[in-house]
Amino acid sequence: MFRKVIFSMMICLFVFSSISYAHSGRTDSSGGHNCSQKSINKGLCSGYHYHNGGSSTGSSSSNSSSYGDKDCSDFNSYDEVITYWNTKGYSATYDPENLDGWGNNVVDDGIPCEPPGGYDLSKVNNSTYQQAAIDEELGEKAGYDKGYTDGYQNVTKNSVSGGSSAYKLAYENSYNTGYLVGQKDINEQKQNAYNNGYSLGKSQEELVVPVNFKSHTLLASSFEEGYQEGKEAYIEEQKEYYYSSGLTDGEKDIYNLPDISEQVFLDAYEKGYKEAQEALKEEYSNKGYEAAFSMIEYSNPEIDNEKLITWFKEGFESNLLVKEIQEEAFNLGKSGEDFVIPENYKQGKTIFTYYYEKGKEEYISPVPFVATAVAATGVTGYLILRRTRKKQIKNLKE
């Protein structure tokens, strides 16, 4: 009877050991097991591997019964692995089921099992990847906010100090973006402030900086700058208006000084009037000068303005070239030479012709000859001789 009991116990022990060794989901007596085909297909494991500190010596983890003894191959998807990991609150330093080290008691990076390529590791709680994502998000927000503020205030760029590498990198990139946006916004608002100030300045109203611009130094400064330039623009426009009025009156020779108190505008009118008068004087002086080339004897132009007549006569008398033409033409005729107008005298053809004939008459009928003829022949002979000379002059002209 005793033998039968011993034999039965041995049989049970053998069967239990065989079942334990062959189980694919739990560890065998060595602390490991073969990866099932299902787990291999899901990419969760491959071949024989150990769990919970197991080794070839057959040792097993003391935590296997306390923590459920989960294995990477026990999950249907990697998202299921992460859900389990996060629910348990596991981390690189707290991983009682050795999911992170694949059962080898290895302190890894806080990422359980082996993630598929491209998986978002920031989903894994307590991992370095999640912390990096958190730091990156914090750095991006802090960097942008600080950059925008510095750009908006138009201050020198600042660099980040402190924080993880992920935080610093995100901070720097976002800071530069925020700085540019801040500068863009403040420049647009400065232009708006300038335009408002400019309009106020042109209206000549008193300088009062609005509250929405006064609260920011740069905006207040832009508003005041616009105001001053608007005020100056108004003055320049008014000066131009009164200058043009002076020109118009000066051209008409009408002096009509505006009834205003601002000396700067009165000066502008006087300037325009004076310039127009000078131009008018030059115009009529030139007309007189040109008239001298064709006018044998001076006569006033047919205008009622004494000032213009005076300028005309001054121009007429200033034409010294006409006097030279008169002299040259007269001498040419008096010498008996042929009538030829030099190129530089052709402008005064009328004057040249007239004085050439005067000289020619002297050449043909000199005074001494006339006196002798009168004495010798008497009046009747003189008249005959005079008709002869006129005929000769006529023939010469033809």
Side-chain angles (χ1 to χ4, degrees):
M1 185 65 181
F2 178 74
R3 287 181 178 179
K4 289 181 178 181
V5 172
I6 295 299
F7 180 75
S8 297
M9 291 176 65
M10 291 178 66
I11 292 296
C12 290
L13 180 62
F14 175 77
V15 171
F16 177 79
S17 299
S18 298
I19 292 173
S20 176
Y21 184 81
H23 178 56
S24 63
R26 299 285 182 251
T27 57
D28 56 21
S29 60
S30 297
H33 72 169
N34 287 310
C35 185
S36 67
Q37 186 60 46
K38 179 180 178 181
S39 296
I40 292 174
N41 293 340
K42 289 187 285 185
L44 296 173
C45 61
S46 62
Y48 184 86
H49 52 274
Y50 294 99
H51 290 272
N52 304 323
S55 66
S56 59
T57 60
S59 61
S60 62
S61 170
S62 60
N63 294 324
S64 61
S65 59
S66 301
Y67 295 97
D69 192 20
K70 279 285 187 181
D71 174 41
C72 290
S73 62
D74 293 333
F75 301 97
N76 293 317
S77 67
Y78 194 72
D79 279 334
E80 189 176 317
V81 174
I82 299 308
T83 300
Y84 181 81
W85 175 274
N86 292 343
T87 302
K88 291 290 187 178
Y90 289 169
S91 67
T93 57
Y94 175 64
D95 180 20
E97 298 186 63
N98 288 330
L99 294 176
D100 185 7
W102 276 70
N104 293 314
N105 263 339
V106 176
V107 177
D108 201 359
D109 52 8
I111 304 298
C113 304
E114 290 298 324
Y119 189 82
D120 182 6
L121 298 178
S122 65
K123 294 180 179 180
V124 185
N125 288 353
N126 307 316
S127 69
T128 56
Y129 293 95
Q130 186 186 56
Q131 188 58 49
I134 294 173
D135 289 349
E136 183 177 340
E137 184 177 353
L138 293 174
E140 184 175 331
K141 184 178 185 310
Y144 183 89
D145 291 346
K146 179 60 176 171
Y148 182 89
T149 300
D150 289 351
Y152 190 80
Q153 295 294 338
N154 199 31
V155 300
T156 305
K157 287 186 176 182
N158 295 301
S159 58
V160 62
S161 59
S164 65
S165 298
Y167 179 90
K168 289 180 179 179
L169 181 60
Y171 184 100
E172 291 291 348
N173 291 336
S174 295
Y175 178 91
N176 291 330
T177 300
Y179 193 91
L180 292 175
V181 174
Q183 279 195 322
K184 177 177 177 293
D185 286 353
I186 190 59
N187 287 336
E188 289 178 352
Q189 293 181 32
K190 281 170 63 179
Q191 185 62 50
N192 182 45
Y194 174 89
N195 293 341
N196 279 267
Y198 187 89
S199 298
L200 184 67
K202 285 200 71 175
S203 70
Q204 294 298 289
E205 294 183 18
E206 185 181 352
L207 173 61
V208 178
V209 180
V211 176
N212 57 322
F213 299 138
K214 197 172 185 178
S215 59
H216 195 295
T217 304
L218 294 176
L219 298 182
S221 177
S222 293
F223 184 89
E224 292 173 1
E225 179 185 352
Y227 177 86
Q228 294 300 329
E229 293 192 9
K231 193 171 182 179
E232 291 173 4
Y234 169 82
I235 293 173
E236 290 303 316
E237 287 179 1
Q238 291 300 107
K239 284 170 63 178
E240 183 62 29
Y241 169 78
Y242 286 109
Y243 171 78
S244 297
S245 297
L247 280 176
T248 301
D249 288 353
E251 289 171 356
K252 297 177 181 179
D253 195 30
I254 300 173
Y255 185 72
N256 186 21
L257 189 66
D259 185 16
I260 52 177
S261 59
E262 292 86 348
Q263 187 60 46
V264 64
F265 301 147
L266 294 174
D267 291 343
Y269 177 89
E270 293 280 8
K271 179 182 179 183
Y273 181 84
K274 182 179 179 181
E275 289 182 6
Q277 284 282 287
E278 290 174 353
L280 198 61
K281 179 179 180 180
E282 183 178 0
E283 178 187 349
Y284 277 86
S285 293
N286 288 337
K287 286 181 177 180
Y289 185 91
E290 293 298 323
F293 286 113
S294 58
M295 191 181 292
I296 303 302
E297 293 183 3
Y298 173 80
S299 62
N300 289 332
E302 295 181 356
I303 53 178
D304 296 330
N305 191 312
E306 289 298 327
K307 184 189 295 183
L308 302 184
I309 292 175
T310 300
W311 290 337
F312 182 90
K313 188 173 183 180
E314 288 176 356
F316 182 91
E317 293 174 347
S318 69
N319 195 334
L320 301 180
L321 181 58
V322 168
K323 298 183 186 305
E324 182 179 323
I325 293 174
Q326 292 174 357
E327 184 177 347
E328 289 292 327
F330 184 83
N331 291 334
L332 184 66
K334 186 177 179 180
S335 66
E337 296 184 20
D338 294 337
F339 179 80
V340 178
I341 302 178
E343 190 68 30
N344 57 327
Y345 294 156
K346 285 187 175 181
Q347 186 178 7
K349 180 180 179 181
T350 300
I351 299 298
F352 191 93
T353 303
Y354 177 81
Y355 280 93
Y356 174 84
E357 291 177 356
K358 295 286 285 183
K360 195 71 174 179
E361 286 180 5
E362 243 188 66
Y363 168 74
I364 295 172
S365 304
V367 174
F369 173 80
V370 173
T372 303
V374 171
T377 63
V379 176
T380 302
Y382 168 72
L383 292 175
I384 295 171
L385 181 61
R386 184 179 178 184
R387 283 196 295 270
T388 304
R389 293 305 184 199
K390 282 185 178 181
K391 188 176 181 180
Q392 290 176 343
I393 292 173
K394 183 179 180 181
N395 291 336
L396 285 172
K397 289 180 179 179
E398 292 175 352

